[in-house]
Amino acid sequence: MALFIDLRASGKGGIVADAAQAWDDGTTLVSAQAFTQRIAGKDVLLATHGFNVDRQAGIDSLSLWSRRCSMPPNGLFVGVLWPGDSRFLPFVDYVYEGSEAISSGKLLASYLNSNAALAQSLSFFSHSLGARTVLETIRGLNSKPRRAILMAGAIEDTCLTKEYADAAAKVAKICVVASVCDDVLKWAFPPGNLIGEIVMHGHPYDRTALGRSGPFRPLPHNLNVVAQQIPEGWDFGHLDYLAQEAMGPPFAVPLPIPNSNDPIPVDVNDPNNAGWKPAWSAAGAVTQFQ
């Protein structure tokens, strides 16, 4: 049974709630007191989806992906649902979703500050635009997170040294996973980000996505950043990180950082190796989490 924190005002439509709520499997409400008790003494991994995902799709994809995560004995997976889905058309609405991600991060930080003080540690996983939600959350936390794992980040490659330098400095270890085969970030991110940053009065206006090129270098010595560039031969696209359908048991962990010429991983639990991509991303996340 997966535990979730819901930051949404409704199932669809991209509006942030006034207050966060916890749920079992997205169906049974969990009180703030019960949530505090559930995570007490645990190493918590809070995982969030990306842009254009409604509540049910977020529950489904994170639930499926969590089953591929071979969590350590003291680890606890918590999914985070934020309203990054489109109110209109995805390309039109994308330019405003950075603001929704920021509002979601502020709300999640407030909820965790009030209800997660008894956790042994907090770590974060994000996919796509969820990176902004995670970094905004970390900025607002009273505590210092142990890990931040940012996969396919739809955010500027300078975010760790400029916009969210303060948040990045709070994290003991940051893992960035990127793929040059991510065509969503290649074609959709630059123009959408250009308009979005102007709308939010942000900066800079023409950066490459973190999830395609990795973090902009040089990185300051105060940041502990592990940058993983997925081999081009693996053909890892933007939607390959999270599970879209039920697959087999998790990959064994820990996994090594891939080299540029490494062969495609083989999921021994799947004879057709059809689900190896989300299985690899889940195992990679747990490897960095441990």
Side-chain angles (χ1 to χ4, degrees):
M1 180 176 292
L3 185 62
F4 286 90
I5 299 174
D6 192 356
L7 309 174
R8 306 181 56 98
S10 59
K12 298 179 183 291
I15 301 174
V16 181
D18 293 331
Q21 292 183 310
W23 298 83
D24 271 328
D25 283 347
T27 59
T28 305
L29 185 64
V30 175
S31 69
Q33 181 180 11
F35 176 85
T36 299
Q37 293 172 347
R38 289 269 291 273
I39 69 169
K42 297 291 187 180
D43 293 307
V44 181
L45 176 63
L46 295 118
T48 192
H49 55 74
F51 170 69
N52 202 29
V53 177
D54 64 26
R55 177 184 282 144
Q56 191 58 54
I59 292 170
D60 292 344
S61 64
L62 290 174
S63 294
L64 289 169
W65 191 76
S66 71
R67 297 169 195 167
R68 309 309 300 267
C69 292
S70 182
M71 297 289 285
N74 200 50
L76 179 66
F77 181 97
V78 178
V80 176
L81 309 171
W82 70 280
D85 51 325
S86 178
R87 279 172 273 183
F88 307 108
L89 298 173
F91 181 77
V92 173
D93 205 44
Y94 174 88
V95 302
Y96 300 100
E97 292 307 329
S99 297
E100 301 295 342
I102 290 171
S103 297
S104 297
K106 292 179 185 296
L107 181 59
L108 180 58
S110 177
Y111 183 84
L112 295 174
N113 285 338
S114 297
N115 302 299
L118 297 183
Q120 177 70 27
S121 68
L122 297 179
S123 296
F124 295 86
F125 163 87
S126 69
H127 175 247
S128 188
L129 191 58
R132 186 176 291 279
T133 298
V134 161
L135 290 170
E136 190 68 35
T137 301
I138 293 171
R139 170 180 280 166
L141 280 181
N142 294 335
S143 59
K144 294 184 177 181
R146 192 169 63 88
R147 301 285 187 266
I149 304 151
L150 312 176
M151 292 192 178
I155 189 171
E156 298 86 351
D157 62 356
T158 58
C159 65
L160 301 179
T161 54
K162 291 189 175 181
E163 183 179 6
Y164 285 107
D166 56 340
K170 293 172 68 173
V171 186
K173 179 181 177 182
I174 300 171
C175 177
V176 175
V177 181
S179 171
V180 296
C181 296
D182 192 327
D183 287 340
V184 169
L185 296 182
K186 178 181 180 181
W187 300 112
F189 177 81
N193 191 56
L194 168 64
I195 300 170
E197 290 292 350
I198 292 173
V199 168
M200 295 190 299
H201 307 290
H203 67 282
Y205 291 160
D206 58 355
R207 298 306 316 175
T208 301
L210 179 73
R212 191 165 190 275
S213 62
F216 186 81
R217 297 180 183 276
L219 291 166
H221 295 300
N222 68 313
L223 297 185
N224 180 14
V225 178
V226 174
Q228 297 188 6
Q229 195 72 39
I230 299 175
E232 189 170 357
W234 292 14
D235 192 27
F236 231 88
H238 197 68
L239 300 181
D240 289 335
Y241 292 84
L242 292 183
Q244 304 301 315
E245 58 185 71
M247 293 292 176
F251 270 7
V253 292
L255 293 181
I257 295 175
N259 294 313
S260 59
N261 295 319
D262 280 354
I264 291 174
V266 176
D267 184 354
V268 297
N269 299 306
D270 179 5
N272 298 318
N273 210 35
W276 71 267
K277 288 181 177 180
W280 178 85
S281 75
V286 173
T287 297
Q288 294 301 327
F289 169 69
Q290 291 181 328

